[in-house]
Amino acid sequence: MTAEKKIFSAAGEKEVTRAIVGEFAREFMEYVDSDVVIVGGGPSGLMAGRELCRANKRVLLIERNNYLGGGFWIGGYLMNKITVRTPADKEMDELGIPHSEISPGLHVADGPHACSKMIASACDAGLKIVNMTSFDDVVLRSDGSSEGSRVAGVVINWTPIEALPREISCVDPIAVESKLVIDATGHDACVVRKLEERGVMSTPGFGAMWVERSEDLIVEHTGEAYPGLIVCGMAVSTTFGVPRMGPTFGAMLLSGKRAAEVALEKLG
Ligand code: 48F
């Protein structure tokens, strides 16, 4: 009797499991010591990661959700249209995102198309991503000099750990070391807030909505907020008290790019 001809290769359950566990572990081992760790996979974090990887840096992005993109999938009020103001339309062109100019200097695109192009571009550049992983704390180092401490990595844990009942949630986190950390966690500004909790910096929180002022200020204030820690995207507004901006995303793209430039200057 001739063997039954099958469409797919003979790999079975154990091979599939080994492929997943082995490849995840191999990659994770490599990125336990990264040039840059980015916390948050929204538009600003993805843009920063893309730019750093294009400059051949080793970058790990930590995202607490099982998906990437943050607020970039959907515009305002649960509608799938996002807006971008000139000059950020050039970034959309570079990412291959179709858009149209609705009024002078105001461009509209489909959120899902924009977001998926952004994610693909960051992955193509070489960005490594771990999902379902939450930032828990910073690694702080001090060499004993008058310069004080600097952020030297992040403490992380699986996101589902947060859902465990308190009395049994004693699951120790692990840490990843890096030369720089970028806080791209949006309005939450989780990394900055952790430093605030530790009493080493204080933040005013974000201001009321004012689109025309906010976008410029976000880009201008993008940079090092504490030694070793760069902030980008809406985390900038929480850190420096800049007005919020609503569903227009040009500043997120330019802020991510600026964060990468600052990081590259610091990394030399
Ligand atoms: O909120 P988010 O999209 O931040 P962003 O890049 O862009 C902001 C805009 O989407 C929009 C806006 C401007 O138009 O107002 O809000 O600044 O993405 C932040 C990402 O960080 C993740 C979160 O799940 C989201 O994907 N995040 C937040 N806290 C943590 C985290 C955490 N503790 N650990 C890991 N990821």
Side-chain angles (χ1 to χ4, degrees), residues 18-42:
R18 277 184 194 132
I20 292 170
V21 177
E23 283 306 287
F24 180 86
R26 186 188 57 75
E27 198 171 279
F28 199 69
M29 290 277 276
E30 219 181 288
Y31 283 79
V32 154
D33 181 14
S34 295
D35 290 322
V36 182
V37 167
I38 299 173
V39 186

Side-chain angles (χ1 to χ4, degrees), residues 88-123:
D89 50 312
K90 288 198 180 55
E91 307 304 328
M92 302 233 279
D93 291 339
E94 209 194 307
L95 292 164
I97 300 168
H99 57 92
S100 48
E101 195 169 17
I102 289 290
S103 61
L106 181 64
H107 301 256
V108 175
D110 278 333
H113 204 163
C115 200
S116 49
K117 286 275 190 182
M118 173 83 259
I119 294 168
S121 183
C123 293

